[in-house]
Every structure is written in C-alpha cells, then in structure tokens.
Amino acid sequence: MKQIHLAAQLPAIHNVTVWSDPRSRSQIAIESFVDVARTAERGKFDFFFLAEGLRLREHKGAFYELDVVGRPDNLTMLSAVAAVTTRLGVAGTVNATFNEPYEVARRLASLDHLSAGRAAWNVVTSHDAFTGENFRRGGFLAEEDRYTRAAEFLTTARALWDSWADGDVLADPATGNFVRPGAGEFAHRGEHFDIRGRFTTPRAPQGHPVIIQAGESETGRDFAAAQAEVVFSKYNRLDEARAFYRDIKDRLARHGRSPDALRILPTATVVVADTDEEAAAQADEITRAQVSPQTAIAHLEAVWGRDLSAYDPDGPLPEIDPEPEALVLKGHSVFRRGRAETAHRWRALAAERGLSIRELMIHVHGGQTFVGSPRTVADAVDHFVQSDGADGFVFAAHLTPGGLDDFVDRVVPLLQEKGVLRRDYTGTTLREHLGLPPHPPRPEAAVTTATATATSTATATATKEAS
C-alpha cells in the first residue's frame, strides 16, 4: 500500500479562512502558527506550508477584507515554527520576480540549517503589475521576462547552494584553518543576473531545500517532471486528479527520474463529525460562511468587471454583459484570465441548474473535499491515494488555529491502523519524510560557475503563480 503524505497550510489570503468565526483566533500572532504546526506534527504530517502575499488585495479601491488582510513574512514565521517543532517540515512560497537569488538562497539555506534539514521552497512568480508597484517603478515586468528570470533565478540559487561542499567547514585547530580555500566561490553571468563572489552560508543539511511548484501548463508539467520534488495540484476530484497524476508521473522517465522522485499533493479541506449526516450539515454551514452574500457578489464583480452591489445575491445573474478588461478585484489570480469565457460558462451553468448568484459561487468556488465520520473520511482519503489520484494532501482548514484538530485526533489514528500513515517519524529531514532521494553532494573542491541560459521554457512556466 502507498504511504500517504500530509501537509498543513495556514491560508494567507483566501476565503478558505473564516476569520469572522467566533472560535477563530489571531491570524497574525505567532501562537496561532505554532498551534497549527504542533497539531500537524502530532499528526505526523510531512510539512507545514505558508503561502506569500506581496500586496493586499483591493476590491473597488478598498482593502478586500473578506479575505484575511495582512500576514507577517512567511520565512520569518517558519523560522519561529522550526524552533518549536522537531520533525515537521517547514515550506514557504518565495517570489522569484521581486527578490534576488543571493538573498533568497541565503535565507533558505539558513532555514534549512535552523530546522536541521526540514526546509522547502515553493517557487513562484508574480502575475501582475499591481503587485509589482510595491517593488519597482511602474511595477511591470513582461510575462516572458518574468518566466525566464524565474528560471535563471532557480539555476543561480542552486549554483550558490553548490558553492559549498559537504566537507568545506574544516574547523581544524591544529592548522588554524576554518574552511577550505575556495569554499563559497561562485560566478554567474546571464540575462537577468551577473554576480560573483562568495556565498556566506555553508552547505545546509539537505544540500538544497525541497523544491515545490504548482505549474499546470504543458511546459509547467515538463518542469515538474524534470526539476520539482513536490507538485501542488488543484485537482481534488478523483477523475481529474488521476489524469493529472498519471500525466506527471509518466513524464518522469523522460528525465531519468523514477516515479518516487516526485510527490503530487492536491489542496484539500475536511469536515469531520460523529456521523456523515452531521458532517454534511457542518460542511454546508462552513461553505456558506466562506461564500457569504458579500463574497458571492465580489467574485461576480471580479469576472464581470462591474459594480454589482445593487444585485441580490439570492437572485439571478445580471443580464448586462461583462466588461472583461476592467479590474474590480485586484491581486486575485483566480480571476486573471479568460473572464469572458468564465462569464459565458457561468451563465450556462446557472441557467441549466436554476442557480442564484450565491448558489453559483458556492458551486464553482465552495464545497469541502472530504466530509463525513472519521471512518468515512479515512476511507475516502485512503481510496483517493491508493487509486493514484495523489500521493497525499495539503489540508487547509477554515478555522485558525483549531481547524485540523478533529482530523488529526480522529482520522489520523484510523489511517495509521490501515498502515498507510506513519505512527512516528523515521527520519529527521523533510526529504526523508517525503521518501525523496537525498540531494547529491557537490563534488569536492569544485568552484561553481553557472552560465545562465534560461534553463528552459518549462522551468520558467513552472515558477508561475501559486496563490
């Protein structure tokens, strides 16, 4: 039987989080992050994941307060989490558009040292000039440049990590030599980066952090097969998930990799109760809180490009046509492209099923992945993985910080009884948790020179936005 890999996500900027729930605690305080992480470690999860939001979303010129507005820097939070956990991996999104390879490579290598080999990097680019206004004049970097930059960024970061070999720290009091001569030397010249010097951080326990991506396009899937070690998937319907899983795994052989060299983890939600009926009622309540009347109208406005506040969320879709080029909700990648096609599809679906605005938004954006008694949920999770729909899941709870407690306390023991989930950690690094091969050591005494050739279009697309 396949072993199930689990991760926990504390969503940064999504309606998944019902911050208005009276049971919800701070979305900013370190105690909330620590609470979720310790719950995940108690459940023997592989890692704890934090996304990244580089600009607050705006709805008609004001903060989009239906989401969580504002979160501390994710790598800083993950460093704090690493200090109060012992085995749980710590994974964070870091944007390759608005950072520099040297500082990102140093921060991630430091996190891997701090956590004793538990770090992972979700590589993304930014999708719009709106976010970029926080970083550069005009906020704009052409799409093709963003992706070639991101490809070269990853190549450069790897060169920096490999500028130190495993035995470069000598610390020999007899000779007075602390490091091997030449340790940390690097040189990289390319289209986006022209740097040389010495990388300050010795080789981290994992060599390289685990690389995560969420590419969906043809070239993105090729990158996953060639370079990624974990893929975040949006498919949590079994038929779609199996097709995606099979496609990615089939590509691995073309790059000389085995199927076990990469893990595919869809995002999922879960509602557990004493009975299936009770869980279904709770799931409906949660979904309606996530897709409130205000949220339903806001999402419709995002696609229609118009102010639709006068419309009844329990009424029919507007008869007026969308303005697909107008931006009402800024900074939300879900509504980035194909809005005219989306509006046409939504009209057809609403007409076919007789759905109101809110019912339509619940249908297309709402719903929980796993709902039922502990046994029902355990069986469904196991069936999904054993049927090759995934290698596991990234669970995002609607409630901070207690949203995963029922799953960990009531479902995890059943998965352990089935023999598909570890009863305890058997390794210390995230690579070991995921069953990934260790990253090969850099050859001794080699000075890394990386000549930037934007690795490939596939690599670039792989770094596309993940949130």
Side-chain angles (χ1 to χ4, degrees):
M1 293 183 292
K2 291 170 61 178
Q3 292 296 295
I4 296 173
H5 296 278
L6 300 177
Q9 177 183 3
L10 203 162
I13 45 172
H14 291 290
N15 289 97
V16 171
T17 297
V18 185
W19 60 263
S20 58
D21 190 298
R23 296 167 296 174
S24 180
R25 301 213 307 264
S26 173
Q27 309 292 322
I28 298 172
I30 182 60
E31 290 81 8
S32 294
F33 292 77
V34 167
D35 196 325
V36 176
R38 284 176 168 164
T39 297
E41 189 164 63
R42 189 172 76 248
K44 311 307 175 186
F45 282 37
D46 291 62
F47 61 90
F48 174 62
F49 170 65
L50 293 179
E52 178 185 62
L54 294 180
R55 180 160 181 173
L56 299 180
R57 290 172 176 171
E58 293 183 9
H59 179 228
K60 293 186 285 192
F63 288 147
Y64 184 59
E65 293 178 316
L66 300 174
D67 284 353
V68 171
V69 175
R71 277 274 171 80
D73 174 72
N74 60 351
L75 291 192
T76 302
M77 278 296 190
L78 290 172
S79 296
V81 166
V84 295
T85 55
T86 59
R87 291 291 183 268
L88 184 71
V90 284
T93 296
V94 181
N95 193 293
T97 303
F98 302 123
N99 285 290
E100 295 296 320
Y102 183 92
E103 65 171 352
V104 170
R106 187 167 183 252
R107 291 170 68 199
L108 287 163
S110 298
L111 181 61
D112 205 53
H113 277 291
L114 176 67
S115 63
R118 295 184 276 146
W121 175 20
N122 180 36
V123 189
V124 304
T125 71
S126 179
H127 75 273
D128 61 355
F130 172 72
T131 300
E133 289 172 355
N134 276 351
F135 295 90
R136 57 165 55 90
R137 182 178 298 176
F140 184 76
L141 189 64
E143 186 156 342
E144 61 272 16
D145 292 334
R146 290 203 307 272
Y147 299 148
T148 57
R149 173 189 166 94
E152 188 180 332
F153 194 112
L154 183 56
T155 298
T156 309
R158 284 174 165 157
L160 292 167
W161 293 323
D162 284 342
S163 67
W164 285 79
D166 285 336
D168 278 350
V169 177
L170 304 176
D172 184 355
T175 63
N177 294 325
F178 194 83
V179 298
R180 180 192 59 79
E185 291 182 1
F186 66 87
H188 179 104
R189 174 172 292 183
E191 178 183 357
H192 294 276
F193 308 109
D194 185 359
I195 58 177
R196 88 168 37 245
R198 285 184 183 269
F199 188 52
T200 60
T201 311
R203 192 167 182 85
Q206 292 186 116
H208 296 185
V210 172
I211 299 299
I212 303 172
Q213 68 101 213
E216 167 57 26
S217 69
E218 183 71 16
T219 47
R221 294 183 183 207
D222 274 338
F223 169 81
Q227 301 289 346
E229 295 164 301
V230 173
V231 173
F232 288 155
S233 164
K234 67 178 183 180
Y235 300 110
N236 50 34
R237 279 184 43 186
L238 185 55
D239 55 345
E240 296 176 337
R242 290 185 70 186
F244 179 80
Y245 185 94
R246 183 168 54 251
D247 180 60
I248 297 294
K249 294 285 186 171
D250 285 348
R251 296 172 189 245
L252 290 168
R254 306 176 201 171
H255 301 280
R257 305 178 71 194
S258 72
D260 285 336
L262 178 148
R263 303 291 178 226
I264 298 175
L265 306 178
T267 300
T269 56
V270 61
V271 179
V272 182
D274 290 340
T275 66
D276 291 352
E277 294 75 18
E278 184 181 351
Q282 289 184 16
D284 181 68
E285 181 181 344
I286 292 167
T287 298
R288 290 188 172 277
Q290 291 170 334
V291 188
S292 66
Q294 297 89 340
T295 298
I297 293 296
H299 283 191
L300 196 70
E301 289 176 332
V303 172
W304 254 249
R306 294 175 177 269
D307 182 351
L308 303 174
S309 56
Y311 283 82
D312 181 0
D314 294 319
L317 266 65
E319 294 183 1
I320 58 176
D321 291 330
E323 295 182 4
E325 300 306 316
L327 284 177
V328 174
L329 180 56
K330 295 182 177 181
H332 205 312
S333 61
V334 172
F335 306 106
R336 180 187 175 198
R337 289 177 173 169
R339 287 160 53 199
E341 294 80 2
T342 298
H344 178 76
R345 187 172 66 254
W346 284 3
R347 280 193 188 281
L349 181 60
E352 176 188 348
R353 303 194 180 190
L355 302 176
S356 69
I357 293 173
R358 190 180 183 197
E359 289 169 339
L360 175 66
M361 294 302 103
I362 288 174
H363 180 82
V364 298
H365 293 303
Q368 311 302 317
T369 313
F370 298 107
V371 178
S373 67
R375 177 62 63 185
T376 296
V377 170
D379 289 345
V381 168
D382 187 36
H383 175 69
F384 200 109
V385 172
Q386 304 307 330
S387 299
D388 287 342
D391 294 309
F393 297 94
V394 181
F395 280 107
H398 79 285
L399 187 64
T400 300
L404 289 178
D405 288 354
D406 284 341
F407 179 84
V408 168
D409 294 335
R410 306 183 68 183
V411 177
V412 161
L414 298 179
L415 295 173
Q416 291 169 334
E417 287 178 9
K418 286 172 172 280
V420 296
L421 183 66
R422 66 172 73 88
R423 291 185 179 274
D424 202 355
Y425 295 103
T426 56
T428 60
T429 70
L430 179 54
R431 290 184 178 279
E432 289 174 310
H433 301 344
L434 290 164
L436 297 172
H439 197 276
R442 193 209 69 163
E444 287 290 335
V447 176
T448 301
T449 300
T451 302
T453 56
T455 334
S456 68
T457 307
T459 307
T461 305
T463 56
K464 293 176 83 169
E465 53 275 57
S467 63

